[in-house]
Amino acid sequence: MSGRPATIATALTELTGVRYPIVQTGMGWVAGPRLVSASANAGALGILASATMTVEQLRTAVREVKSRTDAPFGVNLRADAGDAGDRVDVIVEQGVRVASFALAPSQELIGRLKDAGVVVIPSIGARRHAEKVAAWGADAVVVQGGEGGGHTGDVATTVLLPQVVDAVDIPVVAAGGFHDGRGLVAALAYGAAGIAMGTRFLLTSDSTVPAAVKEKYLAAAVQDVTVTTEVDGMRHRMLRTELVDALERSGRTTALLRAVRHAAAFRKESGATWAGLVRDGLAMKHGKNLSWSQVLLAANTPVMLKASMVEGRTDRGVMASGQVAGLIDDLPSCAELVDRVMADAHATLESLPQ
């Protein structure tokens, strides 16, 4: 590792064994083996997105990451998935270092993972959720402020982060609005143990997202990133496009019919059964207090993300994005990105008044 920036040791680097206090988030259809292994080899904590994979596809993907890197990495799981237990089994059997969750996992799931020596790091968007998972034994939390891409809350990172840092005694990783070393230093000053970045890692040369889609992100200004509830009934931050405008103009009946078609498409893609989808819908409905209309609309998300992130169809797909996309104008490799962030962080620390 000679010639690379020195690390900044934090509770996150100690907990996970990574070189740098940087996390590449588990973005659906984006955070596959190539991006995750490149992030891990760069010294960050790469997180593999598994929600759009079958259990066997997850096992294959984990093995591919392991064939590309010896560095620690993680897998992101949907806590409300009916087969979450089977996915935990894969993580344990394959010796994955970290399990992350987009929703708060149950105390039982946390216990199973910790008993197997897996580090558990849920992502949360509110202080009370951080307090809950900390009480259940989570090793750390990722705190995403409203600037973050995808499903997000409405409290800014600069308000939410210190709230959570003060509320829990486990390491806190800051997400939402980060893309450079200045942000890392700011997060550390708030008491965080590191930063998590999604959009910034999506916009690297190691990302498998089609070039035409990356160009859409690079061309976006800050005001081109919006929040809509019309994709799946929940707050979803993404690039504003003609498709998003059309979704917001469409009526609820049209939206529900589209969701039924997308649910059928996702069932075929993922190998899920209708019974499994209904079971997951019940868990989602209970966990987020959603109506059945919102649960059905949730079928839109994976299909419409795949259209853009895999197929390059920006006319048919949505592009989840943090506001920070408006500040990004290049496509470095993961190694170049991580080295740049750390070099900037050290330079920022040295420039601070003593």
Side-chain angles (χ1 to χ4, degrees):
M1 296 296 237
S2 61
R4 301 195 64 194
T7 192
I8 297 175
T10 72
L12 175 66
T13 59
E14 180 179 350
L15 178 66
T16 63
V18 297
R19 180 175 175 85
Y20 299 121
I22 299 171
V23 177
Q24 163 254 301
T25 62
M27 300 163 281
W29 303 117
V30 176
R34 191 171 93 177
L35 181 62
V36 172
S37 57
S39 299
N41 284 328
L45 178 63
I47 303 292
L48 184 70
S50 79
T52 55
M53 301 177 184
T54 65
V55 173
E56 195 52 45
Q57 286 170 341
L58 171 59
R59 181 177 283 105
T60 299
V62 167
R63 287 172 175 166
E64 183 176 346
V65 175
K66 291 171 67 176
S67 75
R68 292 170 174 258
T69 184
D70 294 325
F73 66 96
V75 170
N76 182 260
L77 305 172
R78 264 186 56 194
D80 59 350
D83 60 1
D86 296 333
R87 293 169 186 270
V88 166
D89 290 342
V90 172
I91 288 175
V92 172
E93 79 179 33
Q94 294 296 317
V96 175
R97 177 64 177 161
V98 173
S100 73
F101 291 87
L103 298 173
S106 66
Q107 189 170 9
E108 178 190 2
L109 274 183
I110 292 175
R112 282 183 59 190
L113 287 160
K114 291 193 66 171
D115 287 347
V118 180
V119 175
V120 180
I121 308 180
S123 295
I124 58 91
R127 180 179 64 184
R128 67 183 185 278
H129 297 152
E131 291 171 334
K132 178 171 68 175
V133 296
W136 287 350
D139 296 292
V141 288
V142 174
V143 175
Q144 179 174 306
E147 303 94 319
H151 291 120
T152 196
D154 57 3
V155 179
T157 303
T158 51
V159 175
L160 181 60
L161 177 59
Q163 265 194 324
V164 176
V165 167
D166 290 345
V168 299
D169 294 325
I170 57 178
V172 175
V173 180
F178 297 100
H179 75 292
D180 62 9
R182 294 174 299 174
L184 173 56
V185 172
L188 296 176
Y190 272 113
I195 58 173
M197 302 187 295
T199 305
R200 179 65 275 197
F201 275 102
L202 183 156
L203 293 173
T204 60
S205 60
D206 295 303
S207 163
T208 58
V209 170
V213 176
K214 291 180 181 178
E215 288 301 320
K216 292 281 189 181
Y217 280 93
L218 294 177
V222 172
Q223 60 268 26
D224 295 323
V225 185
T226 189
V227 173
T228 182
T229 60
E230 296 308 314
V231 172
D232 58 11
M234 294 174 279
R235 285 176 55 87
H236 206 140
R237 186 175 290 284
M238 59 186 60
L239 295 187
R240 178 164 288 286
T241 62
E242 291 183 5
L243 175 60
V244 172
D245 288 339
L247 291 174
E248 293 184 339
R249 290 194 303 267
S250 66
R252 179 51 56 96
T253 300
T254 300
L256 291 177
L257 288 173
R258 183 180 64 246
V260 170
R261 292 196 302 271
H262 286 167
F266 182 64
R267 186 184 72 85
K268 182 177 180 181
E269 175 72 31
S270 65
T273 63
W274 282 113
L277 289 177
V278 170
R279 183 173 60 246
D280 289 352
L282 283 169
M284 185 186 300
K285 186 176 186 294
H286 172 72
K288 288 197 170 186
N289 195 28
L290 303 179
S291 69
W292 273 111
S293 294
Q294 288 174 310
V295 170
L296 189 55
L297 283 170
N300 286 325
T301 302
V303 174
M304 297 185 80
L305 283 173
K306 184 188 179 189
S308 288
M309 301 306 165
V310 178
E311 301 166 3
R313 292 293 305 272
T314 58
D315 59 325
R316 291 179 50 195
V318 296
M319 291 167 279
S321 177
Q323 284 183 306
V324 76
L327 306 179
I328 298 172
D329 59 8
D330 64 348
L331 298 169
S333 68
C334 287
E336 291 167 341
L337 170 61
V338 171
D339 283 0
R340 182 197 303 173
V341 169
M342 294 307 303
D344 287 349
H346 285 291
T348 299
L349 288 169
E350 291 173 3
S351 70
L352 293 175
Q354 299 299 313

